């Protein structure tokens, strides 16, 4: 994973018109809205449960907590990842602190965030969370409101091919000893394997022995007949 943006209210990037338009289209898409609603409700439960266990005193409704430690809720929503990668662009992760201003700055949430294809470049990615946080704040409330401090992380496009190459090489190396084992003739106790040339030589010797034995039998038979006359 590669961190691509650390955005605050005072650092606003410049995004392209194509990126802004594609972001609006995605956020108004019925399929995205349905899956996002599911992700938001599911993530709220995970965040509230995490906060209840990592803070000595937790007030999720007001966004306040005391003596909080290790408060990170993982909200990687598989349905949103699939929808985004197949229809919109690339599924990334946004790390943010939803209660940074209200009284629980140590609470953090990692959420799936869909980056539209037209925004999946350096300058537009750098400005994307800032644009989303400011322009669409009226669509969010409560723990989902604050995007002023956020880090957008997207998987590097180089890692996938490298992993695929390593897997292919490992499979090839693994197949070599398996092939040797499967195609090598097994040894049999009390049996000696001989070559085809040796078998032909043995057969010729057997034929010669039989012809010699036949010739000897005729001689003996003739002598016996002559002796009886």
């Amino acid at each position: 994973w590669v961190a691509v943006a650390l955005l605050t209210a005072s650092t606003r990037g410049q995004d392209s018109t194509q990126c802004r338009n594609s972001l609006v289209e995605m956020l108004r898409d019925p399929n995205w809205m349905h899956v996002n609603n599911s992700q938001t409700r599911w993530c709220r439960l995970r965040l509230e449960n995490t906060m209840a266990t990592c803070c000595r005193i937790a007030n999720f409704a007001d966004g306040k907590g005391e003596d909080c430690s290790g408060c990170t809720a993982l909200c990687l929503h598989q349905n949103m990842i699939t929808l985004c990668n197949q229809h919109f662009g690339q599924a990334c992760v946004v790390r943010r602190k939803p209660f940074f201003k209200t009284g629980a700055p140590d609470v953090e949430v990692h959420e799936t965030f869909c980056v539209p294809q037209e925004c999946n470049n350096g300058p537009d990615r750098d400005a994307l969370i800032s644009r989303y946080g400011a322009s669409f704040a009226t669509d969010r409330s409560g723990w989902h409101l604050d995007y002023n401090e956020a880090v957008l992380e997207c998987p590097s496009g180089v890692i996938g091919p490298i992993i695929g190459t390593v897997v292919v090489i490992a499979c090839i190396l693994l197949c070599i000893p398996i092939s040797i084992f499967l195609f090598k003739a097994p040894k049999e106790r009390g049996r000696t394997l001989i070559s085809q040339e040796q078998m032909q030589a043995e057969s010729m010797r057997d034929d010669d022995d039989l012809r010699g034995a036949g010739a000897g039998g005729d001689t003996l038979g003739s002598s016996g007949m002559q002796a009886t006359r």
Side-chain angles (χ1 to χ4, degrees):
W1 293 81
V2 180
V4 297
L6 176 58
L7 302 166
T8 64
S10 60
T11 58
R12 304 292 184 183
Q14 296 296 323
D15 53 350
S16 65
T17 302
Q18 294 84 354
C19 176
R20 291 196 297 271
N21 292 339
S22 64
L23 179 61
V24 171
E25 291 177 2
M26 183 187 74
L27 298 181
R28 297 295 179 258
D29 183 87
N31 295 311
W32 184 90
M33 294 174 66
H34 173 74
V35 177
N36 182 68
N37 180 57
S38 174
Q39 172 181 280
T40 301
R41 292 189 297 172
W42 171 71
C43 189
R44 181 192 183 280
L45 293 175
R46 291 185 65 87
L47 179 60
E48 186 172 5
N49 290 337
T50 298
M51 190 173 176
T53 58
C54 68
C55 297
R56 185 176 61 85
I57 299 177
N59 185 343
F60 183 85
D62 295 333
K64 299 181 183 297
E66 297 182 9
D67 298 331
C68 300
S69 177
C71 294
T72 301
L74 299 179
C75 296
L76 307 183
H77 197 267
Q78 186 58 50
N79 289 345
M80 177 61 78
I81 293 173
T82 302
L83 177 70
C84 180
N85 289 337
Q86 292 183 354
H87 299 286
F88 295 110
Q90 183 179 22
C92 300
V93 175
V94 60
R95 294 193 291 112
R96 64 186 186 89
K97 296 182 178 182
F99 305 129
F100 183 80
K101 295 180 179 179
T102 58
D106 296 324
V107 177
E108 187 172 271
V109 60
H110 297 186
E111 301 171 271
T112 299
F113 189 90
C114 187
V115 176
Q117 186 62 40
E118 291 77 4
C119 302
N120 198 16
N121 58 78
D124 284 325
R125 272 199 308 262
D126 291 343
L128 182 59
I129 296 298
S130 179
R131 164 71 61 179
Y132 179 74
S135 300
F136 302 95
T138 56
D139 296 337
R140 306 185 309 272
S141 61
W143 70 274
H144 214 226
L145 175 63
D146 194 353
Y147 275 76
N148 286 330
E149 292 202 10
V151 176
L152 180 65
E153 298 178 339
C154 293
S156 173
V158 178
I159 296 178
I162 292 177
I163 294 177
T165 302
V166 172
V167 171
V168 170
I169 294 175
C171 290
I172 293 174
L173 294 177
L174 183 61
C175 288
I176 292 175
I178 295 177
S179 300
I180 294 174
F181 175 78
L182 291 177
F183 293 105
K184 183 179 180 181
K187 295 182 178 180
E188 297 185 18
R189 182 176 299 176
R191 180 178 178 183
T192 302
L193 298 179
I194 61 175
S195 65
Q196 185 175 1
E197 290 78 6
Q198 291 174 323
M199 292 177 63
Q200 291 177 349
E202 291 287 345
S203 178
M204 293 177 62
R205 284 197 297 269
D206 291 342
D207 291 342
D208 292 341
D209 292 342
L210 288 174
R211 284 195 294 269
D218 291 341
T219 303
L220 291 175
S222 299
S223 301
M225 292 177 64
Q226 293 176 356
T228 57
R229 286 182 178 178

